[in-house]
Amino acid sequence: MNTQAEFNYDRVARAITFIRSNFKEQPSLNEIAESVHLSPYHFQRLFTEWAGVSPKKFMQYISVEHAKKMLKEAQVTLSEAAMETGFSGTGRLHDLFVNIEGMTPGEYKNGGENLEINYSFAESPFGKLIVASTPKGICHMSFVDDGKEGFEDLKSRFPNANYRQLLDKNQQDGLAIFRDDWSKQERIKLHLNGTPFQLKVWETLLKIPTGSLTVYGSIAHKIERPKASRAVGTAIGKNPVAFLIPCHRVIQSTGKIGDYMWGSTRKSAIIGWEAAQMAPAE
């Protein structure tokens, strides 16, 4: 059964799809509201409660022009210190609070036959999630439209592991990233199966500050593989942990949002939502 949060996100997602499809025409509030079968008043209130900004402001955050401006500013004004520490000027926790540990060959042997995996389902501002963890940390987090399909996808990644539906502390620490108050956030631990190259790319993604954007070539330069943009893109596409490893912050050099494992509309939603969270209060 869908929760109210899922219904709300579904309406917001449909509105974002409409905005993205009709951005050049700069649709009015009435037109956007009509596309999701709500009155302008109720739509404005729903959208602002979800995003923290008006639909008009959100349109600006997901525009190509805004993305290009962010990419340019990142090249000119973003200090290496900020990239390396991962902390924003406001003192909010940034993504380097996430610690990645690679699985050993023994842990992943024969499809994860040595792994004990707990999993659970949770709500997020961007729809339902399945999150799974070993005793060492989160090994999988994915947006899901159908819980059964989400669990089958998890099992396909570790077909011989032992599974138990249980919300454990590792999962709780990871899911806390969606809370407004991060002051008591525990260090988030990830336990991932990946090649050394993939792990290096995923670790580099953690250095992109919340609300910022970058491109594939920039990641390639950061890992000292400037000609490996395509391989970087492939590694990003295999990211096993949605949102916590922020692959959504990597876009095309043209400023277009680009593809996303969990849907380009959801990627737009996350990018706009993060920009709204980091924007100064009006």
Side-chain angles (χ1 to χ4, degrees), residues 155-229:
K155 288 202 299 183
S156 72
R157 297 169 185 268
F158 306 98
N160 297 321
N162 295 315
Y163 291 93
R164 179 173 56 164
Q165 187 166 358
L166 175 69
L167 177 63
D168 61 26
K169 188 176 185 303
N170 282 325
Q171 296 169 32
Q172 291 174 332
D173 291 342
L175 293 170
I177 200 77
F178 296 111
R179 297 176 189 160
D180 291 334
D181 180 10
W182 293 354
S183 62
K184 296 182 179 179
Q185 175 68 55
E186 297 288 338
R187 179 171 290 279
I188 299 168
K189 299 176 182 178
L190 306 184
H191 188 208
L192 305 181
N193 175 52
T195 66
F197 180 82
Q198 288 172 334
L199 292 171
K200 194 170 186 178
V201 169
W202 299 339
E203 288 171 343
T204 304
L205 295 179
L206 297 175
K207 299 179 182 180
I208 309 170
T210 301
S212 298
L213 299 173
T214 191
V215 296
Y216 299 96
S218 177
I219 300 296
H221 277 86
K222 284 287 182 182
I223 63 172
E224 299 180 349
R225 296 282 297 277
K227 297 182 179 180
S229 292

Side-chain angles (χ1 to χ4, degrees), residues 17-218:
T17 297
F18 181 83
I19 290 170
R20 291 175 68 233
S21 299
N22 298 277
F23 183 81
K24 291 182 179 180
E25 287 74 35
Q26 289 291 291
S28 67
L29 175 65
N30 287 359
E31 290 172 322
I32 302 171
E34 185 178 351
S35 75
V36 293
H37 309 294
L38 287 174
S39 71
Y41 170 78
H42 285 98
F43 172 69
Q44 175 96 355
R45 187 175 67 176
L46 169 70
F47 197 99
T48 303
E49 286 177 354
W50 179 83
V53 294
S54 68
K56 182 178 180 179
K57 191 71 174 179
F58 192 90
M59 275 197 290
Q60 296 174 3
Y61 288 152
I62 62 173
S63 71
V64 170
E65 290 76 14
H66 179 72
K68 286 181 177 179
K69 180 174 179 287
M70 292 186 71
L71 292 174
K72 184 177 180 180
E73 288 177 351
Q75 293 176 353
V76 175
T77 65
L78 186 62
S79 70
E80 287 298 313
M83 285 292 284
E84 294 305 320
T85 62
F87 286 89
S88 70
T90 62
R92 295 183 69 189
L93 178 69
H94 246 311
D95 300 290
L96 278 187
F97 217 65
V98 180
N99 182 62
I100 294 178
E101 178 178 342
M103 290 185 181
T104 66
E107 288 168 330
Y108 192 64
K109 181 182 178 182
N110 297 328
E113 67 176 12
N114 297 319
L115 290 176
E116 299 288 334
I117 295 179
N118 295 331
Y119 72 95
S120 62
F121 297 95
E123 299 293 338
S124 83
F126 319 106
K128 181 184 289 186
L129 288 163
I130 183 172
V131 56
S133 56
T134 72
K136 292 185 178 180
I138 292 172
C139 61
H140 178 79
M141 189 157 84
S142 178
F143 295 106
V144 295
D145 295 320
D146 179 272
K148 183 176 180 181
E149 290 181 2
F151 180 55
E152 290 302 318
D153 176 57
L154 169 62
K155 288 202 299 183
S156 72
R157 297 169 185 268
F158 306 98
N160 297 321
N162 295 315
Y163 291 93
R164 179 173 56 164
Q165 187 166 358
L166 175 69
L167 177 63
D168 61 26
K169 188 176 185 303
N170 282 325
Q171 296 169 32
Q172 291 174 332
D173 291 342
L175 293 170
I177 200 77
F178 296 111
R179 297 176 189 160
D180 291 334
D181 180 10
W182 293 354
S183 62
K184 296 182 179 179
Q185 175 68 55
E186 297 288 338
R187 179 171 290 279
I188 299 168
K189 299 176 182 178
L190 306 184
H191 188 208
L192 305 181
N193 175 52
T195 66
F197 180 82
Q198 288 172 334
L199 292 171
K200 194 170 186 178
V201 169
W202 299 339
E203 288 171 343
T204 304
L205 295 179
L206 297 175
K207 299 179 182 180
I208 309 170
T210 301
S212 298
L213 299 173
T214 191
V215 296
Y216 299 96
S218 177

